[in-house]
Amino acid sequence: MAVLLLSKDLNLLCAAEDKYYTNVTVVLRLGRGMGSKYLIPIQEGCVMNEATIGAFIIVEMLYSSSLLAIVGAGEQPSLSPRRLCLFNTTTGTALRELNFLTSVLAVCINRKRLIVVLQEKTYVYDTNSLAILDTIDTVPNLKGLCAFSPSLDGCFLALPASTVKGSVLVYNVMELHSHCEIDAHRSPLAAMVLSSNGMYIATASEQGTIIRVHLVSEATKQSYNFRRGTYPSTIFSLSFGPSMQHPDTLVATSSSGSVHAFSLGFNINQSYAVIRKVDKVADSIAESVACRATVSIITSSGYFLEYTLSINHQNESSWILEREFNLLTVISEGTINS
């Protein structure tokens, strides 16, 4: 099996089988669940993988640094699933170890905080000193479901708040207090993700038909509602775009075998819309459109958009963007007559 290896500076991209490369850092997950196997950074020309140092269920890297948080699969006594090891890939040595009474299900890390998720407890540590800062009692979280936004300006942790419905606890990791609780779905949660800047949280339930996005700052306000499909499906993962300023793309993978991409675009819920004109179209074989409407929208960011909305006799609709411009720019240039 060929494995992609990516260097720290993104200049080296190669396929490797039984070869050795230097100056390459990579963390790859092969498979899912307890059967997962990992490759971790190539150190001094040697691939460090299951064959050399054992099997893992969790490997998390601190950004692109040499620090890894590793949890073993339990196939060797030194790689217990109840032990978290902080590993330095530069020196090839273990720096610190944390031991727990039950298996570690998830780990999140940034430069200030280390999060360890167990089945019914979540621990918050100072990354540098490993001093424990807080313990969060949680509902039974058998899958270790969690989401983390690593930005220090919007550093949040999301955890399931119920086992019978899709409620989310959002916790402020830097200030060490509960931020809010969001009732996102009627069914229990299957997946969730926070944008890197902590602005948005996206969730999916076990039904897997609807993906909802909320503004973390306004937890009770739903910003977007995306339909993945009509039939139930298991959502495997959710991911926002990497931009810290504009995480405007959301991707979902599911058991349906498809990858779904959604655009957050402009926040329509904070916009004004008006139907300016409706034209009925005569029913004929050649013309399947029952009516056309002109819809004008002014967004909260100052854009004016005008659409033609067409609706056929089966009540199916289509949109065509006719024109778009920035009202703030137009007003500043004095091109609108008062």
Side-chain angles (χ1 to χ4, degrees):
M1 177 185 295
V3 177
L4 285 179
L5 304 177
L6 192 60
S7 68
K8 287 183 179 179
D9 57 9
L10 304 182
N11 290 326
L12 175 61
L13 181 62
C14 54
E17 291 179 308
D18 296 322
K19 301 178 182 178
Y20 297 97
Y21 294 86
T22 58
N23 193 30
V24 178
T25 300
V26 66
V27 175
L28 294 179
R29 174 173 179 166
L30 309 179
R32 294 181 57 83
M34 293 301 293
S36 299
K37 309 299 180 185
Y38 288 89
L39 291 182
I40 64 175
I42 290 180
Q43 168 66 21
E44 296 179 354
C46 178
V47 178
M48 301 165 61
N49 58 18
E50 178 194 8
T52 57
I53 53 177
F56 311 98
I57 54 172
I58 296 173
V59 176
E60 292 291 335
M61 178 185 287
L62 175 60
Y63 302 122
S64 59
S65 71
S66 59
L67 181 65
L68 293 182
I70 300 173
V71 178
E75 296 178 3
Q76 300 178 19
S78 61
L79 292 173
S80 167
R82 298 188 300 275
R83 178 180 298 158
L84 170 65
C85 174
L86 296 180
F87 189 86
N88 187 319
T89 62
T90 301
T91 61
T93 58
L95 301 177
R96 293 284 297 275
E97 290 184 350
L98 296 172
N99 293 283
F100 302 91
L101 296 178
T102 60
S103 296
V104 177
L105 302 179
V107 176
C108 308
I109 188 170
N110 68 6
R111 298 191 189 281
K112 295 291 186 179
R113 296 291 184 261
L114 171 67
I115 313 297
V116 182
V117 179
L118 308 184
Q119 182 172 314
E120 295 186 353
K121 289 184 182 295
T122 296
Y123 296 98
V124 181
Y125 294 88
D126 180 279
T127 300
N128 297 309
S129 67
L130 288 189
I132 188 167
L133 302 177
D134 200 4
T135 301
I136 308 169
D137 292 321
T138 64
V139 299
N141 186 8
L142 302 180
K143 299 178 181 178
L145 189 61
C146 65
F148 184 63
S149 55
S151 171
L152 298 183
D153 295 328
C155 192
F156 294 102
L157 172 70
L159 297 163
S162 172
T163 58
V164 296
K165 63 178 182 178
S167 297
V168 184
L169 169 67
V170 180
Y171 180 90
N172 189 315
V173 176
M174 297 306 298
E175 298 178 9
L176 302 174
H177 64 77
S178 175
H179 175 72
C180 64
E181 186 170 316
I182 302 172
D183 290 326
H185 304 271
R186 286 178 289 184
S187 300
L189 295 168
M192 57 183 171
V193 66
L194 281 156
S195 60
S196 296
N197 58 5
M199 181 183 297
Y200 295 109
I201 181 170
T203 59
S205 74
E206 291 179 350
Q207 290 294 314
T209 55
I210 299 293
I211 297 169
R212 293 194 168 98
V213 180
H214 288 79
L215 275 171
V216 173
S217 60
E218 301 178 48
T220 59
K221 186 172 184 177
Q222 180 180 305
S223 299
Y224 300 94
N225 194 55
F226 299 118
R227 177 167 288 278
R228 182 213 55 81
T230 305
Y231 299 100
S233 180
T234 301
I235 301 293
F236 292 138
S237 65
L238 296 168
S239 179
F240 279 108
S243 171
M244 294 290 285
Q245 290 75 33
H246 305 287
D248 54 1
T249 302
L250 175 66
V251 174
T253 63
S254 72
S255 59
S256 66
S258 301
V259 176
H260 301 265
F262 308 96
S263 176
L264 274 62
F266 296 114
N267 193 337
I268 300 301
N269 286 340
Q270 296 182 5
S271 305
Y272 296 94
V274 61
I275 299 176
R276 296 177 54 208
K277 182 175 65 173
V278 176
D279 295 324
K280 291 188 176 180
V281 179
D283 188 10
S284 66
I285 297 177
E287 180 60 80
S288 62
V289 177
C291 69
R292 288 192 181 95
T294 300
V295 181
S296 298
I297 298 174
I298 299 177
T299 73
S300 58
S301 56
Y303 276 83
F304 175 87
L305 304 98
E306 187 171 270
Y307 290 88
T308 295
L309 169 62
S310 299
I311 303 176
N312 63 20
H313 296 285
Q314 285 74 45
N315 205 31
E316 298 170 336
S317 62
S318 62
W319 294 77
I320 298 177
L321 179 62
E322 302 292 350
R323 58 179 178 148
E324 172 187 6
F325 54 84
N326 191 326
L327 285 170
L328 301 179
T329 302
V330 172
I331 292 173
S332 65
E333 293 175 352
T335 56
I336 292 182
N337 295 325
S338 58

